[in-house]
Every structure is written in C-alpha cells, then in structure tokens.
Amino acid sequence: MKQLVVCDEVHHWIESNAGVYVWETLDRNVQKTAGAGSRLIETTNAYNPNENSIAQRTHEAVQLGAGRILYDCVEATGDVDFSDRAAVEAAVREAYGDSYWVDVAGIADAIQDPRTAAAVAFRFYLNRIQENADGWMSRDIWSACLFEDDPIMPGDQIAVGFDGSLRGDATGICGVRLRDGKLFVLHLQENPRDPNQPDWEVDVLAVEAAVQDAFRTYRVEWMYADPPYWQESIGRWALEYGDDRVFEYWTNKPTRMVQATERFHSAAAVQDLSHDGDWRLTRHVLNAVTREVPQGTLITKSSPRSKKKIDLAVCAILAYEARADAIADGRLKIKRRRVVGF
C-alpha cells in the first residue's frame, strides 16, 4: 500500500523523547513499500548538534553519501552582526530564499529582540547549524578569570581532578589551589587522530608518573577521579596516597555532576575561581557545549564525532569540587607570617 509519511520538526525527534524510535518504525514501513511509491518527508529547523536528532542523522547521512535522499536546505551565510539592521534583514532574505510571503521586518525584529539568544536566532530564524550554538562557557567570562600573578608553587595545597580514557578521548589531570581556587593543568594526552597511528592508546605509565609527580610536588588534599577504565589504578592510588585523599567520582551520575557543573560555572561568572591561561584548558573549556537533562545542565562535546575535546573541562570541574570538599573537611591550612615590630 502506497504511503506518504510526513515527519515535522524532526530537530526535536531525539532518543530521550522516543523520537528516534518512532522515526525508525515509520521509516521501516515506508522502505517496505517504497517500490509502490511510498515516501517519507522530513521538515525541520536547524538542529542542535549536541542532541543527535533525526534532523542531524539525516543531514550526516547525506554528507556520507547515502542514496535515495533528496536534501534541500538554505542557510544564511557569513558572519551576521545582529546590531546591524541591514545585515540582519539581508541574512533573513538569504535564508528564506524565494518565500516572498515572509515578513522580513518582523523576523528581523525577533532576531534583534534582546530576549532572543544568538543560538535561537541562528537556528530558528537563519537556519544555520552552529557547532557551538549552545556553548557552556563564554570566552568573556573565562578570560575574566585569567590571573597570571601568584603562580602555583611546589608545596602548595591543591585538589586534583582526573578524567581518563584509553583510546578515543583525551586523558587529563587538573589541579586547583585550595586557598584561592586557581586552576592549572597537571597532565594531558589527546588522541592525535593521525591515520598513521590507528592503534594509538594512552600512555598509562605517563599518567601514573603524572599522578606520582603531583603528590610529590604539591600537598594534594583531595583527588576526585572518574573510574571508567581506571578503577584498578584509582584503587592503587588510594592505597598509596591515602583513601582519605583519593576518591572515585562517577561523572555518569547526573544529579551530582549537574550540581558540580553549575557550581563551577557560577564560580567562573563571579570570578571565584581563576586560571593561569593554559591554552589547553582554555580550549577544552570553550569547546564544551551544554546538554539538558531532567536534573539540569551537563557539558558534552558539540557532537559525538567532534574532534574538539572537553576532557580538561571535566577535570577542572572535578578538581574544583574536590577543593570544596577538602575545605569543608577542614584541610585548608594557611601559614600566617609572623610580624615583629620594634
């Protein structure tokens, strides 16, 4: 039997709302009767590349050369200065093509409304897919936290955050000074994505050496480490450095991780934390995008296949959370200088 199935707003069809399951069921039925003329039509706005929606999957299938798909999309191109009325109206006309009935002025008003987020303007009015449409940390906020004075010194009391992988993602270690919340990078390994190194793996011995060096160089009061792939190592670190200093922190537990992520972002917004300007940490923090879950906001990569890593951002969140717990446990010891007057 011939069918015409129309799937509307497929940028909202994602796994968490069963949209993917529904689409797969519809698509299978259409495929079975395609020879009789059955067709499936999808209409959508620009998708959020973080959600892996049906709109995104269809777009990526076309990019990979999938056949029997007619894909038609018009996006506003180039940089658009939302304060420039003429530029905004030109972008609207470009995005809407020959849709002569569109109220260009009205859409431009909506874009320039201060209540409209840039990500919303680009996705829903200019039909543009932006990799960082839902960026977690703004460059302005992060730049304001730069503090190059008072460098981290050997013997400083610190807390540590560890996020490890073995092959695909990066493995990193961040430290944060207890007395002032200053972040710094202790270790980082990233998959080079080099075709000549298809079997690349994390140098486990280098990670072990970095952890050892951290405990030898600084007074590590608290360490939170994400366990997947590294449970045996974390257990050994706890035995070696103290099970009252090394703790597992499962980042896949959303309630706890949402709270830690929000505390970190709030601290950055009011400059209750700082960093030394390490470009690796900055890159990972600015690469992170938000992902909404029922418990709140988490961070993730811009898309599952993105090469833009965020592991040091996770390490920094864990380190900052470890700092808070260390201070709450009474471990912050500030040596006071003795002033003698004559």
Side-chain angles (χ1 to χ4, degrees), residues 7 26 54 135 157 172 208 221 265:
C7 302
L26 295 172
I54 290 300
Q157 285 184 292
E208 295 281 357
E221 300 293 349
H265 191 277

Side-chain angles (χ1 to χ4, degrees), residues 2 230 279:
K2 182 177 179 180
W230 292 86
W279 65 273

Side-chain angles (χ1 to χ4, degrees), residues 7-14 17 19-20 22-23 26 53-54:
C7 302
D8 191 27
E9 303 279 3
V10 291
H11 58 284
H12 288 315
W13 294 37
I14 57 179
N17 61 20
V20 173
V22 172
W23 180 90
L26 295 172
S53 63
I54 290 300

Side-chain angles (χ1 to χ4, degrees), residues 93 96-104:
R93 291 190 185 94
Y96 283 85
D98 58 0
S99 301
Y100 61 86
W101 59 87
V102 169
D103 180 5
V104 173

Side-chain angles (χ1 to χ4, degrees), residues 34-321:
S38 293
R39 297 292 184 267
L40 185 147
I41 298 174
E42 298 173 21
T43 60
T44 184
N45 286 296
Y47 57 80
N48 178 342
N50 179 41
E51 293 179 333
N52 201 23
S53 63
I54 290 300
Q56 179 175 352
R57 295 176 189 216
T58 300
H59 183 212
E60 291 178 350
V62 171
Q63 291 179 314
L64 293 172
R68 304 177 69 179
I69 300 177
L70 173 61
Y71 184 86
D72 184 33
C73 175
V74 179
E75 302 179 40
T77 58
D79 294 330
V80 181
D81 180 358
F82 288 163
S83 66
D84 184 338
R85 180 69 178 203
V88 170
E89 292 191 357
V92 171
R93 291 190 185 94
E94 182 180 15
Y96 283 85
D98 58 0
S99 301
Y100 61 86
W101 59 87
V102 169
D103 180 5
V104 173
I107 294 176
D109 287 341
I111 291 174
Q112 292 188 307
D113 189 317
R115 296 169 295 180
T116 302
V120 171
F122 277 117
R123 285 183 59 203
F124 294 97
Y125 295 123
L126 301 181
N127 200 34
R128 181 184 294 179
I129 301 164
Q130 284 194 300
E131 188 162 326
N132 286 322
D134 297 282
W136 172 56
M137 185 75 68
S138 76
R139 184 176 294 275
D140 288 344
I141 289 177
W142 189 247
S143 296
C145 294
L146 174 62
F147 184 60
E148 295 177 305
D149 297 336
D150 194 9
I152 310 293
M153 300 296 292
D156 279 349
Q157 285 184 292
I158 68 169
V160 172
F162 169 81
D163 182 41
S165 179
L166 292 178
R167 296 178 182 86
D169 285 324
T171 290
I173 308 173
C174 274
V176 59
R177 190 161 54 194
L178 258 61
R179 65 176 170 84
D180 61 356
K182 186 170 186 176
L183 293 153
F184 65 110
V185 176
L186 287 162
H187 185 71
L188 175 65
Q189 293 184 53
E190 293 181 287
N191 188 328
R193 301 294 180 183
D194 185 346
N196 297 319
Q197 302 180 55
D199 299 322
W200 182 89
E201 293 185 357
V202 169
D203 184 342
V204 175
L205 293 180
V207 174
E208 295 281 357
V211 172
Q212 183 181 72
D213 187 57
F215 276 88
R216 285 181 175 177
T217 304
Y218 308 99
R219 296 165 60 193
V220 179
E221 300 293 349
W222 208 283
M223 178 181 185
Y224 273 144
D226 193 20
Y229 309 112
W230 292 86
Q231 279 184 284
E232 187 275 332
S233 295
I234 296 168
R236 192 161 22 81
W237 298 339
L239 288 173
E240 185 172 355
Y241 304 115
D243 60 7
D244 61 341
R245 296 179 185 275
V246 179
F247 304 90
E248 292 184 350
Y249 193 108
W250 290 87
T251 60
N252 61 359
K253 294 183 177 180
T255 298
R256 191 181 188 190
M257 196 61 191
V258 160
Q259 293 170 352
T261 301
E262 290 177 348
R263 276 192 286 268
F264 186 96
H265 191 277
S266 296
V270 297
Q271 297 175 38
D272 272 351
L273 61 77
S274 63
H275 60 87
D276 60 3
D278 190 298
W279 65 273
R280 298 168 298 175
L281 177 58
T282 294
R283 173 163 53 88
H284 282 219
V285 167
L286 297 184
N287 282 345
V289 300
T290 59
R291 177 166 70 92
E292 297 299 323
V293 295
Q295 295 84 354
T297 300
L298 294 173
I299 63 169
T300 187
K301 295 193 297 184
S302 55
S303 71
R305 300 179 184 85
S306 176
K307 296 179 181 179
K308 295 185 175 181
K309 301 301 183 184
I310 67 166
D311 302 79
L312 284 180
V314 175
C315 293
I317 291 172
L318 296 188
Y320 198 73
E321 196 72 356

